[in-house]
Amino acid sequence: MAELKPGDVVELTSGSAKMTVETVGQSDQNANLIAAQCVWFEESAGEVRRAVVAVDALKKVKA
């Protein structure tokens, strides 16, 4: 996996909505896990959503 940085556009390796990386760092819940906080707009709900995802489960995509 390429290094992720804030502003990168990503999706789950299994497919998902396009998300923007807000932060990348060590997980609060598992010291051995590097995770990214991601944000996206959920059109069907009309809301901004956030999730913390392991970087190994993400891939960069074109915006």
Side-chain angles (χ1 to χ4, degrees):
M1 156 110 269
E3 287 288 319
L4 294 178
K5 63 186 182 312
D8 284 345
V9 178
V10 297
E11 67 181 13
L12 296 176
T13 56
S14 60
S16 69
K18 290 181 182 177
M19 303 176 282
T20 302
V21 174
E22 288 188 307
T23 61
V24 179
Q26 187 175 17
S27 169
D28 292 339
Q29 298 174 354
N30 181 342
N32 297 319
L33 182 69
I34 303 300
Q37 171 135 351
C38 300
V39 61
W40 70 98
F41 184 73
E42 184 77 37
E43 288 203 39
S44 62
E47 296 178 357
V48 173
R49 305 287 178 134
R50 284 184 169 78
V52 176
V53 181
V55 295
D56 290 340
L58 297 171
K59 65 180 177 181
K60 287 185 186 182
V61 296
K62 293 186 180 191

